[in-house]
Amino acid sequence: MSYLLHVDSSSLGADSVSYQVARSFRGTWDAPVVHRDLAVSPVPHLSAAGIAAWNTDPARHAPEQAAAVAVQDELIGEFLGASAYVFTVPMYNLTMPSVFKAWLDQVIVKGRTFGLPDGPPASGRPALVVSARGGGYGPGTPNHGKDFVVPALETIVRDMLGLEVTALTPELTMAPVVPALTHLVPIHEASLTDAHQQARRQAEKFRDRIAA
């Protein structure tokens, strides 16, 4: 076992529900962890220099290309060195925080993390996505079909990076603070309790799977 890579992207830090559920996972996980908080230390968005560097002989990299590649090297090395992953990706305006998309764009590099003849080097490794949201997005709700976080991540992280994804989506986090949603507090509380329980169970599953 190497380590768990825990990538946070919530702007709320320890007050984030996604972060708190991930902490329940961490409380059960008893192996090394590498933690990257993208809200505190965001990675740069993919630049023209970074894209051009992919198709340029490293010996001919301009200074800005070399700097862009150094960022990618650090993030890709950290990603590939992990044996399991926790990504906290709350829903912001129906989609993922931009800092997490920036991280993905730096990590997803053809010939390094995907697009290789033998498949992605991280293929089959387990990943937990924790995505809290202020409303409800399940079947029968007015917002059903408007979740552009989990379906997108399941496709990107599974199909491109090869990870086996489990998603936890504690819902209605705005119910305790928005008077019009007060009647939904019990549903929120049940969703949150279940997410914490599932996070602890997933930590046990990940640990057992990696140790096997």
Side-chain angles (χ1 to χ4, degrees), residues 49-50 53-54 61 64-74 106 112:
W54 297 340
H61 280 171
E64 61 270 22
Q65 291 175 326
V69 169
V71 171
Q72 293 172 5
D73 286 346
E74 177 186 353
Q106 296 287 6
R112 300 190 66 183

Side-chain angles (χ1 to χ4, degrees), residues 172-197:
L172 296 164
T173 62
M174 296 302 294
V177 296
V178 176
L181 300 179
T182 300
H183 64 292
L184 298 174
V185 166
I187 300 175
H188 158 67
E189 291 176 343
S191 175
L192 183 57
T193 297
D194 181 67
H196 281 288
Q197 292 174 344

Side-chain angles (χ1 to χ4, degrees), residues 1-6 22-34 82-86 126 199-211:
M1 181 183 294
S2 59
Y3 55 82
L4 172 79
L5 177 59
H6 176 191
R23 282 290 168 180
S24 286
F25 181 104
R26 292 273 303 272
T28 303
W29 182 266
D30 54 2
V33 176
V34 171
S83 51
Y85 308 86
V86 171
R200 288 187 283 268
R201 291 188 189 121
Q202 289 301 319
E204 293 174 352
K205 289 181 179 179
F206 282 24
R207 181 185 59 206
D208 293 345
R209 176 174 171 179
I210 292 168

Side-chain angles (χ1 to χ4, degrees), residues 114-199:
F114 86 107
L116 289 89
D118 295 329
S123 182
R125 300 177 191 175
L128 179 67
V129 172
V130 184
S131 180
R133 55 276 318 277
Y137 292 81
T141 67
N143 289 325
H144 184 227
K146 296 180 181 179
D147 179 355
F148 300 108
V149 182
V150 171
L153 286 179
E154 286 177 334
T155 299
I156 296 168
V157 175
R158 179 192 63 219
D159 294 353
M160 298 187 74
L161 295 175
L163 305 184
E164 293 189 5
V165 181
T166 299
L168 300 180
T169 55
E171 294 197 318
L172 296 164
T173 62
M174 296 302 294
V177 296
V178 176
L181 300 179
T182 300
H183 64 292
L184 298 174
V185 166
I187 300 175
H188 158 67
E189 291 176 343
S191 175
L192 183 57
T193 297
D194 181 67
H196 281 288
Q197 292 174 344
Q198 291 295 331

Side-chain angles (χ1 to χ4, degrees), residues 89-98 131 146-149 152:
V89 192
M91 179 185 286
Y92 289 173
N93 299 318
L94 303 181
T95 189
M96 70 185 77
S98 63
S131 180
K146 296 180 181 179
D147 179 355
F148 300 108
V149 182

